Amino acid sequence: MIDLKHILVPTDFSKHSHIALTYGVAFAKKFGAQLHLLHIVQDLAVFFPDTVTVVPPTDQLTEAVEAALLRVVQENHLEDLKVKTVVRSGSPFHEVAQYAREENVDLIIMGTHGRGGLMHLLMGSVAEKVVRKSPCPVLTVRDHEHEFVHD
């Protein structure tokens, strides 16, 4: 018997994350599980150290992301579900795995960009790293694949 109580959907607000959210919502409804929406704010200076950019202070950025997560809840009519929205900062794959451990997540559902070749070599795959480090099963979904949940 499968019993899912906590389902985590990490989001970067992309189309791929939206597809994962569709699956997360369906699973949460089916099992009466709490849906955790998590966004990780990355420090872009790690990737672009020579670029001079003015960014809002961390508190303002966090507030903006929290507001964006609440819009996702409202726009997808998730008010009837048990939804927890969380913003963290750090390395995405590490924070996703750490959050899953801390919250006893039963399943992570995440979109994957499906990058290949040089982009995959340079950037790696967050989804691939989450699968390796996760304390629970991970369902990765891609656009244009066989879908068993539809909007």
Side-chain angles (χ1 to χ4, degrees), residues 65-85:
V65 173
E66 287 171 351
L69 285 171
L70 290 177
R71 276 194 306 278
V72 168
V73 170
Q74 292 168 346
E75 290 170 359
N76 290 282
H77 310 289
L78 306 181
E79 294 85 4
D80 294 340
L81 290 177
K82 296 176 276 186
V83 179
K84 181 176 181 179
T85 58

Side-chain angles (χ1 to χ4, degrees), residues 6-64:
H6 297 275
I7 298 169
L8 171 59
V9 178
T11 182
D12 61 2
F13 304 106
S14 68
K15 175 183 176 184
H16 306 283
S17 292
H18 182 74
I19 293 168
L21 179 62
T22 301
Y23 283 83
V25 168
F27 275 85
K29 286 180 179 177
K30 175 76 175 168
F31 291 96
Q34 182 174 30
L35 184 65
H36 299 250
L37 295 179
L38 173 67
H39 179 79
I40 311 301
V41 177
Q42 273 185 278
D43 180 6
L44 296 179
V46 172
F47 298 107
F48 307 105
D50 296 334
T51 306
V52 177
T53 308
V54 177
V55 295
T58 304
D59 290 344
Q60 288 178 350
L61 182 58
T62 300
E63 288 173 12

Side-chain angles (χ1 to χ4, degrees), residues 112-123:
T112 179
H113 294 271
R115 290 184 188 103
L118 184 59
M119 286 301 291
H120 179 76
L121 181 65
L122 293 175
M123 297 181 67

